[in-house]
Amino acid sequence: ELMTGYTMLRNGGVGNGGQPWVLRWSSRIRLTWLSFTLFVILVFFPLIAHYYLTTIDDADDAGKRIFGPRTGNELCEVKHVQDLCRIRESVSEELLQLEAKRQELNSEIAKLNLKIEACKKSIENAKQDLLQLKNVISQTEHSYKELMAQNQPKLSLPIRLLPDKDDATFPLPKSNRNCRLHNCFDYSRCPLTSGFPVYVYNSDDYPFGSSLDPLIKQAFEATVRTNVYVTENANIACVYIILMGEMQEPVMPKPTELEQQLHSLPYWRTDGHNHLIINLSRKSETQNFIYNISTGRAMIAQSTFYDAQYRPGFDIVVSPLVHAMSEPNFLEIPPQVPVKRKYLFSFQGEKIESLRSSLQEVRSFEEEIEGNAPADYDDRIITTLKAVQDSKLDFVLVEFTCKNQPKASLPTEWALCGERDDRLELLKLSTFALIITPGDTHLVISAGCTMRLFEALEVGAIPVVLGEQVQLPYNDVIRWNEAALIIPKPRITEVHFLLRSISDNDLLAMRRQGRFLWETYFSTSDNVFSTVLAIIRTRIQIPAAPIREEPAVEIPHRSGKAAGTDPNMADNGDLDLGPVETEPPYASPKYLRNFTLTAMDIYRNWNSAPGPFHLFPYTPFDPVLPSEAKFLGSGTGFRPIGGGAGGSGKEFQAALGGNVPREQFTVVMLTYEREEVLMNSLERLNGLPYLNKVVVVWNSPKLPSEDLLWPDIGVPIMVVRTEKNSLNNRFLPWDEIDTEAILSIDDDAHLRHDEIMFGFRVWREARDRIVGFPGRYHAWDIPHQSWLYNSNYSCELSMVLTGAAFFHKYYAYLYSYVMPQAIRDMVDEYINCEDIAMNFLVSHLTRKPPIKVTSRWTFRCPGCPQALSHDDSHFHERHKCINFFVKVYGYMPLLYTQFRVDSVLFKTRLPHDKTKCFKFI
């Protein structure tokens, strides 16, 4: 039964009879019991715990109480509560401090607001002062312009000396010989500001053109095309030029026909005023066909004149045109040294016809002294010269009879013997070359005499002209006594003594001057034509056209990179030769003597060695001769008070000094595809005093990188593009160079600011010299009989490298446009020697050595890429250059010097094993 009941319970209370209510009753009893148990636990257990704890806190030992109420100090004795208390105290203190700072900042803000208001008021006052200053400046400029207008005369057309109309009845001077500029030249066609325009007739348009010598005609036309004064507008011309010789014999027109053709020229204007007739001679027997032609008021330029025909100061004696269509070969010209040659003097010639033979009437020397001088001294000359030759005191060669048929000549003139090459070979062996003038005193100059003069100057034989009545070429503007000896024929007996008494130095000076005159005025058709024009322009006092400057084609580049300060540049030691603040770029004043030069410096400009000033007036600066060391340019000798007159060290450093109170220089830097080195060099120029501009000559066909950022150094940087890679580009007279002073510097040169400033100061005291840092010298190689280039340290030097040197812009013009082209060609061939060429040029012109400053010998920057000078062939090429340049110049122009300029603040440090050099301070 028990099992039965259990089974029934498992089956949900459904047993035999099915009783589910028993199971439901049992579930209810269990839930009720569970709820009651939980209630008892939740209510009674906290009450019991509270009672127990209260009983413990009532104990007598107060120190054993745990849960009783406690004071604040007792609570803080607990460790973690103590930390919280400390945090609270710290926060409170910081809040107090912040509050104090806030109040302090509020007070400062109030003060700053007051200052801002004060600054605003100051700005307003400054604006008012600036406006007043601008008004003062404007008024001052206006007053300055008024003063300048009062002091400078207004240029206008000169007074017209001849009638306005072409009046055929206007009388000529009583005689053609009376024609001078004041009565036969129309000045009104040639204002001072006209630029001297010249119109040249085309010979092919006129009948006489077919009779001209083809070579002379071709050479003349070629030089006319390149001359700066020639114009095609005949209406504005000052002078009209006609080429009428040399004419060929078979087709030469008759004098009457030639005169008619001459007078029919479209701009002849009845009398030919302002016309120039040129009769060039290429041979010694050129005819004087113009002698029988009426030329009116026209000027004549030719090589043969009779006294009845020649009008001094109006007509022009020109040199023969030997090199008609070819340039002279400088390598074939003998050197100017040694001074003494094999023969003391030489002469070759034959006289075809004389006035009368002195053999028919022998006269004594005493009779001549009494005033009965013979009509022809030639026989006495022959006798005297033969006696000198027979005495054998000196080697002399005189021949009065030609071995071959003599050249045709005028009556009483000594005809030339042999061919030109044979005559030149003899002159190369002669110290002096005798030139015997025609026996007819009415023949003031002949083509034969000018040919002898030309050949003597060409090969360096000093001309000795027997006959003081002669009119040598361009004699009114050239001092021939500096290059030739002009001796009266009666002194023939003293000629030998006179020639032997001349010192070697004087001989060399005369030979060098003769070489200069030949190169400048005789050697080419361009020189002859330009010289003729220059003589006329100088006579009527019109300034020459300015020489052209090289146009600079700028390469666009980005700038803005802030240039840093190189510690090596900033560390100048005790030497600080510059102002505290740099001034803005200031160009050298332009050349202002254009209208006074022609009147004041005629002979000095025509007869000194720098070059043909009449052809190249250098407008950016004063073209005073370097031989006289007066390259002050814009300087006037005036210096305002406070400009720096020495004084103490402070004033000396702050002022530039010198006779030009305000001046700057331009840096010309040559570079070739070394961008990093270039940027570093440009940055080193940041803050350099007296720097006007930097001209970077980009010598590479490859343009700079587009992303290259150029430094901002406070002055303009002009990047110039060149046509080809040439070291000659370093010395081109770029139109962007606005200063007389140029600092030529390599892109890897490493110079301190104080060194550059000191070099600039020294250059200002010697403006005609090259002033630089690295010195070199030349030496004679005895075994090989040639010149050598030497870069060893020495107490003596003759060159200063232009990789770091100051020079005048004047020399840039001469180097690029006047110096022989053969030198520039060799520089391009070797890509070397441009610095040697510049030293040769300046020493040749000034006859002075360069100036070295400071004790520095090297200037390359450490770590820079290798330069061309490190090539093994570099020195061999420089040896060749020196010897080639000597051949071109005809002598060694370089001069040695032991002079070096140092500041008293420089300290020379020499190795112990080196011998100390003398130093000039």
Side-chain angles (χ1 to χ4, degrees), residues 750-765:
H750 196 274
L751 294 173
R752 300 196 310 269
H753 286 188
D754 61 294
E755 294 173 322
I756 296 176
M757 282 307 308
F758 182 69
F760 182 47
R761 285 174 172 238
V762 173
W763 177 86
R764 284 165 49 81
E765 303 295 334

PDB file of all heavy atoms in Angstrom, residues 750-765:
ATOM      1  N   HIS A 750      85.419  81.629 -50.366  1.00  0.00           N
ATOM      2  CA  HIS A 750      84.987  81.712 -48.975  1.00  0.00           C
ATOM      3  C   HIS A 750      85.726  82.873 -48.324  1.00  0.00           C
ATOM      4  O   HIS A 750      86.865  82.739 -47.886  1.00  0.00           O
ATOM      5  CB  HIS A 750      85.290  80.395 -48.255  1.00  0.00           C
ATOM      6  CG  HIS A 750      84.562  80.231 -46.956  1.00  0.00           C
ATOM      7  ND1 HIS A 750      85.033  80.722 -45.768  1.00  0.00           N
ATOM      8  CD2 HIS A 750      83.388  79.631 -46.664  1.00  0.00           C
ATOM      9  CE1 HIS A 750      84.187  80.421 -44.802  1.00  0.00           C
ATOM     10  NE2 HIS A 750      83.184  79.763 -45.318  1.00  0.00           N
ATOM     11  N   LEU A 751      85.081  84.042 -48.277  1.00  0.00           N
ATOM     12  CA  LEU A 751      85.676  85.237 -47.704  1.00  0.00           C
ATOM     13  C   LEU A 751      84.783  85.779 -46.608  1.00  0.00           C
ATOM     14  O   LEU A 751      83.555  85.754 -46.718  1.00  0.00           O
ATOM     15  CB  LEU A 751      85.866  86.314 -48.777  1.00  0.00           C
ATOM     16  CG  LEU A 751      86.879  86.014 -49.891  1.00  0.00           C
ATOM     17  CD1 LEU A 751      86.810  87.106 -50.950  1.00  0.00           C
ATOM     18  CD2 LEU A 751      88.272  85.908 -49.334  1.00  0.00           C
ATOM     19  N   ARG A 752      85.419  86.299 -45.561  1.00  0.00           N
ATOM     20  CA  ARG A 752      84.661  86.932 -44.484  1.00  0.00           C
ATOM     21  C   ARG A 752      84.260  88.344 -44.892  1.00  0.00           C
ATOM     22  O   ARG A 752      84.874  88.953 -45.775  1.00  0.00           O
ATOM     23  CB  ARG A 752      85.486  86.971 -43.199  1.00  0.00           C
ATOM     24  CG  ARG A 752      85.903  85.617 -42.665  1.00  0.00           C
ATOM     25  CD  ARG A 752      86.353  85.746 -41.214  1.00  0.00           C
ATOM     26  NE  ARG A 752      87.304  86.815 -41.038  1.00  0.00           N
ATOM     27  CZ  ARG A 752      88.621  86.682 -41.109  1.00  0.00           C
ATOM     28  NH1 ARG A 752      89.142  85.498 -41.392  1.00  0.00           N
ATOM     29  NH2 ARG A 752      89.424  87.714 -40.919  1.00  0.00           N
ATOM     30  N   HIS A 753      83.260  88.864 -44.227  1.00  0.00           N
ATOM     31  CA  HIS A 753      82.785  90.202 -44.540  1.00  0.00           C
ATOM     32  C   HIS A 753      83.859  91.253 -44.287  1.00  0.00           C
ATOM     33  O   HIS A 753      83.987  92.221 -45.051  1.00  0.00           O
ATOM     34  CB  HIS A 753      81.540  90.523 -43.714  1.00  0.00           C
ATOM     35  CG  HIS A 753      80.320  89.798 -44.194  1.00  0.00           C
ATOM     36  ND1 HIS A 753      79.061  90.054 -43.702  1.00  0.00           N
ATOM     37  CD2 HIS A 753      80.156  88.834 -45.130  1.00  0.00           C
ATOM     38  CE1 HIS A 753      78.179  89.266 -44.306  1.00  0.00           C
ATOM     39  NE2 HIS A 753      78.831  88.520 -45.171  1.00  0.00           N
ATOM     40  N   ASP A 754      84.613  91.101 -43.226  1.00  0.00           N
ATOM     41  CA  ASP A 754      85.629  92.107 -42.912  1.00  0.00           C
ATOM     42  C   ASP A 754      86.721  92.106 -43.974  1.00  0.00           C
ATOM     43  O   ASP A 754      87.269  93.153 -44.332  1.00  0.00           O
ATOM     44  CB  ASP A 754      86.227  91.849 -41.534  1.00  0.00           C
ATOM     45  CG  ASP A 754      86.907  90.492 -41.453  1.00  0.00           C
ATOM     46  OD1 ASP A 754      86.218  89.467 -41.547  1.00  0.00           O
ATOM     47  OD2 ASP A 754      88.138  90.466 -41.300  1.00  0.00           O
ATOM     48  N   GLU A 755      87.033  90.943 -44.548  1.00  0.00           N
ATOM     49  CA  GLU A 755      88.030  90.887 -45.612  1.00  0.00           C
ATOM     50  C   GLU A 755      87.522  91.580 -46.873  1.00  0.00           C
ATOM     51  O   GLU A 755      88.267  92.323 -47.537  1.00  0.00           O
ATOM     52  CB  GLU A 755      88.384  89.431 -45.912  1.00  0.00           C
ATOM     53  CG  GLU A 755      89.088  88.728 -44.769  1.00  0.00           C
ATOM     54  CD  GLU A 755      89.283  87.248 -45.031  1.00  0.00           C
ATOM     55  OE1 GLU A 755      88.374  86.633 -45.612  1.00  0.00           O
ATOM     56  OE2 GLU A 755      90.336  86.709 -44.655  1.00  0.00           O
ATOM     57  N   ILE A 756      86.268  91.341 -47.208  1.00  0.00           N
ATOM     58  CA  ILE A 756      85.696  91.990 -48.389  1.00  0.00           C
ATOM     59  C   ILE A 756      85.655  93.501 -48.205  1.00  0.00           C
ATOM     60  O   ILE A 756      86.014  94.267 -49.107  1.00  0.00           O
ATOM     61  CB  ILE A 756      84.289  91.431 -48.666  1.00  0.00           C
ATOM     62  CG1 ILE A 756      84.370  89.940 -49.022  1.00  0.00           C
ATOM     63  CG2 ILE A 756      83.612  92.214 -49.789  1.00  0.00           C
ATOM     64  CD1 ILE A 756      83.021  89.290 -49.218  1.00  0.00           C
ATOM     65  N   MET A 757      85.251  93.943 -47.038  1.00  0.00           N
ATOM     66  CA  MET A 757      85.169  95.372 -46.790  1.00  0.00           C
ATOM     67  C   MET A 757      86.544  96.024 -46.852  1.00  0.00           C
ATOM     68  O   MET A 757      86.701  97.131 -47.368  1.00  0.00           O
ATOM     69  CB  MET A 757      84.517  95.633 -45.431  1.00  0.00           C
ATOM     70  CG  MET A 757      83.003  95.477 -45.432  1.00  0.00           C
ATOM     71  SD  MET A 757      82.246  96.462 -46.727  1.00  0.00           S
ATOM     72  CE  MET A 757      82.956  98.048 -46.389  1.00  0.00           C
ATOM     73  N   PHE A 758      87.541  95.348 -46.317  1.00  0.00           N
ATOM     74  CA  PHE A 758      88.878  95.913 -46.356  1.00  0.00           C
ATOM     75  C   PHE A 758      89.388  95.994 -47.794  1.00  0.00           C
ATOM     76  O   PHE A 758      90.003  96.986 -48.197  1.00  0.00           O
ATOM     77  CB  PHE A 758      89.828  95.074 -45.500  1.00  0.00           C
ATOM     78  CG  PHE A 758      91.221  95.616 -45.451  1.00  0.00           C
ATOM     79  CD1 PHE A 758      91.492  96.809 -44.793  1.00  0.00           C
ATOM     80  CD2 PHE A 758      92.264  94.951 -46.059  1.00  0.00           C
ATOM     81  CE1 PHE A 758      92.776  97.317 -44.753  1.00  0.00           C
ATOM     82  CE2 PHE A 758      93.550  95.448 -46.021  1.00  0.00           C
ATOM     83  CZ  PHE A 758      93.808  96.641 -45.368  1.00  0.00           C
ATOM     84  N   GLY A 759      89.123  94.958 -48.592  1.00  0.00           N
ATOM     85  CA  GLY A 759      89.514  95.009 -49.997  1.00  0.00           C
ATOM     86  C   GLY A 759      88.828  96.145 -50.737  1.00  0.00           C
ATOM     87  O   GLY A 759      89.435  96.805 -51.591  1.00  0.00           O
ATOM     88  N   PHE A 760      87.560  96.399 -50.428  1.00  0.00           N
ATOM     89  CA  PHE A 760      86.824  97.489 -51.069  1.00  0.00           C
ATOM     90  C   PHE A 760      87.436  98.838 -50.706  1.00  0.00           C
ATOM     91  O   PHE A 760      87.582  99.724 -51.558  1.00  0.00           O
ATOM     92  CB  PHE A 760      85.359  97.429 -50.640  1.00  0.00           C
ATOM     93  CG  PHE A 760      84.485  98.484 -51.266  1.00  0.00           C
ATOM     94  CD1 PHE A 760      84.541  98.738 -52.629  1.00  0.00           C
ATOM     95  CD2 PHE A 760      83.606  99.223 -50.488  1.00  0.00           C
ATOM     96  CE1 PHE A 760      83.732  99.710 -53.214  1.00  0.00           C
ATOM     97  CE2 PHE A 760      82.799 100.186 -51.063  1.00  0.00           C
ATOM     98  CZ  PHE A 760      82.864 100.433 -52.419  1.00  0.00           C
ATOM     99  N   ARG A 761      87.830  98.979 -49.464  1.00  0.00           N
ATOM    100  CA  ARG A 761      88.447 100.236 -49.042  1.00  0.00           C
ATOM    101  C   ARG A 761      89.778 100.467 -49.752  1.00  0.00           C
ATOM    102  O   ARG A 761      90.094 101.576 -50.182  1.00  0.00           O
ATOM    103  CB  ARG A 761      88.662 100.240 -47.530  1.00  0.00           C
ATOM    104  CG  ARG A 761      87.382 100.448 -46.734  1.00  0.00           C
ATOM    105  CD  ARG A 761      87.640 100.308 -45.244  1.00  0.00           C
ATOM    106  NE  ARG A 761      86.455 100.692 -44.498  1.00  0.00           N
ATOM    107  CZ  ARG A 761      86.417 101.663 -43.586  1.00  0.00           C
ATOM    108  NH1 ARG A 761      87.497 102.344 -43.333  1.00  0.00           N
ATOM    109  NH2 ARG A 761      85.307 101.934 -42.945  1.00  0.00           N
ATOM    110  N   VAL A 762      90.550  99.403 -49.895  1.00  0.00           N
ATOM    111  CA  VAL A 762      91.841  99.541 -50.576  1.00  0.00           C
ATOM    112  C   VAL A 762      91.628  99.880 -52.045  1.00  0.00           C
ATOM    113  O   VAL A 762      92.325 100.735 -52.609  1.00  0.00           O
ATOM    114  CB  VAL A 762      92.663  98.246 -50.415  1.00  0.00           C
ATOM    115  CG1 VAL A 762      93.931  98.314 -51.257  1.00  0.00           C
ATOM    116  CG2 VAL A 762      93.005  98.012 -48.948  1.00  0.00           C
ATOM    117  N   TRP A 763      90.655  99.240 -52.680  1.00  0.00           N
ATOM    118  CA  TRP A 763      90.391  99.526 -54.096  1.00  0.00           C
ATOM    119  C   TRP A 763      90.001 100.981 -54.297  1.00  0.00           C
ATOM    120  O   TRP A 763      90.379 101.600 -55.303  1.00  0.00           O
ATOM    121  CB  TRP A 763      89.286  98.616 -54.620  1.00  0.00           C
ATOM    122  CG  TRP A 763      88.921  98.920 -56.041  1.00  0.00           C
ATOM    123  CD1 TRP A 763      89.514  98.442 -57.174  1.00  0.00           C
ATOM    124  CD2 TRP A 763      87.883  99.809 -56.489  1.00  0.00           C
ATOM    125  NE1 TRP A 763      88.921  98.973 -58.294  1.00  0.00           N
ATOM    126  CE2 TRP A 763      87.920  99.814 -57.900  1.00  0.00           C
ATOM    127  CE3 TRP A 763      86.942 100.593 -55.828  1.00  0.00           C
ATOM    128  CZ2 TRP A 763      87.036 100.574 -58.655  1.00  0.00           C
ATOM    129  CZ3 TRP A 763      86.070 101.359 -56.580  1.00  0.00           C
ATOM    130  CH2 TRP A 763      86.113 101.342 -57.976  1.00  0.00           C
ATOM    131  N   ARG A 764      89.266 101.548 -53.374  1.00  0.00           N
ATOM    132  CA  ARG A 764      88.852 102.942 -53.499  1.00  0.00           C
ATOM    133  C   ARG A 764      90.047 103.894 -53.476  1.00  0.00           C
ATOM    134  O   ARG A 764      89.958 105.011 -53.970  1.00  0.00           O
ATOM    135  CB  ARG A 764      87.873 103.305 -52.388  1.00  0.00           C
ATOM    136  CG  ARG A 764      86.471 102.763 -52.621  1.00  0.00           C
ATOM    137  CD  ARG A 764      85.632 102.826 -51.350  1.00  0.00           C
ATOM    138  NE  ARG A 764      85.682 104.126 -50.712  1.00  0.00           N
ATOM    139  CZ  ARG A 764      84.967 105.177 -51.080  1.00  0.00           C
ATOM    140  NH1 ARG A 764      84.123 105.062 -52.100  1.00  0.00           N
ATOM    141  NH2 ARG A 764      85.065 106.323 -50.442  1.00  0.00           N
ATOM    142  N   GLU A 765      91.154 103.455 -52.892  1.00  0.00           N
ATOM    143  CA  GLU A 765      92.359 104.266 -52.897  1.00  0.00           C
ATOM    144  C   GLU A 765      93.225 104.003 -54.128  1.00  0.00           C
ATOM    145  O   GLU A 765      94.193 104.712 -54.379  1.00  0.00           O
ATOM    146  CB  GLU A 765      93.180 103.976 -51.633  1.00  0.00           C
ATOM    147  CG  GLU A 765      92.438 104.202 -50.334  1.00  0.00           C
ATOM    148  CD  GLU A 765      92.072 105.667 -50.128  1.00  0.00           C
ATOM    149  OE1 GLU A 765      92.770 106.521 -50.669  1.00  0.00           O
ATOM    150  OE2 GLU A 765      91.070 105.937 -49.432  1.00  0.00           O
TER     151      GLU A 765
END
